[in-house]
Amino acid sequence: MTKAYWVGSHMTVKDPEKLKAYAKLAAQASTAHGGRVLARGGVGAGKVLSLEGFDQSRVAVTEFPSMKAAGDCFNSEDYQAAMAKLDGGIERDVFIVEGLD
């Protein structure tokens, strides 16, 4: 089965406290669906070096066992509860990309 990677980028953090509340619940939802955070940078995390395009204030990469697992996580009640905690506290792009075999 091909792994998938959930990437959050182009993040503008407007409320760090809302991000913290989201992150705790999102991590639980991710783990429940086989997710494993591989990288997290910016605002309260590791370093991010933007080489081209937009400066990245926050980036996160989570590995899942499959595209289905990543999508199921996003659509789960647990993750949607985490999203509710953001309540406009962040603007971002989120996508899932299939890994290479």
Side-chain angles (χ1 to χ4, degrees), residues 50-93:
S50 296
L51 300 175
E52 292 186 27
F54 302 99
D55 282 339
Q56 301 292 320
S57 63
R58 174 100 171 158
V59 177
V61 179
T62 304
E63 179 184 74
F64 284 87
S66 66
M67 290 287 283
K68 181 173 181 350
D72 287 350
C73 179
F74 184 85
N75 293 311
S76 71
E77 287 182 26
D78 290 342
Y79 184 73
Q80 292 305 309
M83 290 279 294
K85 296 289 185 185
L86 283 177
D87 188 34
I90 191 170
E91 291 179 3
R92 66 189 180 158
D93 290 337

Side-chain angles (χ1 to χ4, degrees), residues 1-2 13-14 22 25-26 36 48 53 60-61 72 79-80 88 99:
M1 187 177 320
T2 302
V13 178
K14 297 178 178 182
Y22 156 83
L25 294 177
R36 181 173 69 103
V48 176
V61 179
D72 287 350
Y79 184 73
Q80 292 305 309

Side-chain angles (χ1 to χ4, degrees), residues 9-61:
S9 66
H10 297 142
M11 296 187 199
T12 301
V13 178
K14 297 178 178 182
D15 187 332
E17 292 305 312
K18 287 182 179 180
L19 178 59
K20 285 180 189 176
Y22 156 83
K24 181 178 179 180
L25 294 177
Q28 293 170 355
S30 172
T31 300
H33 288 86
R36 181 173 69 103
V37 175
L38 298 180
R40 186 181 295 132
V43 185
K47 294 178 184 177
V48 176
L49 175 61
S50 296
L51 300 175
E52 292 186 27
F54 302 99
D55 282 339
Q56 301 292 320
S57 63
R58 174 100 171 158
V59 177
V61 179

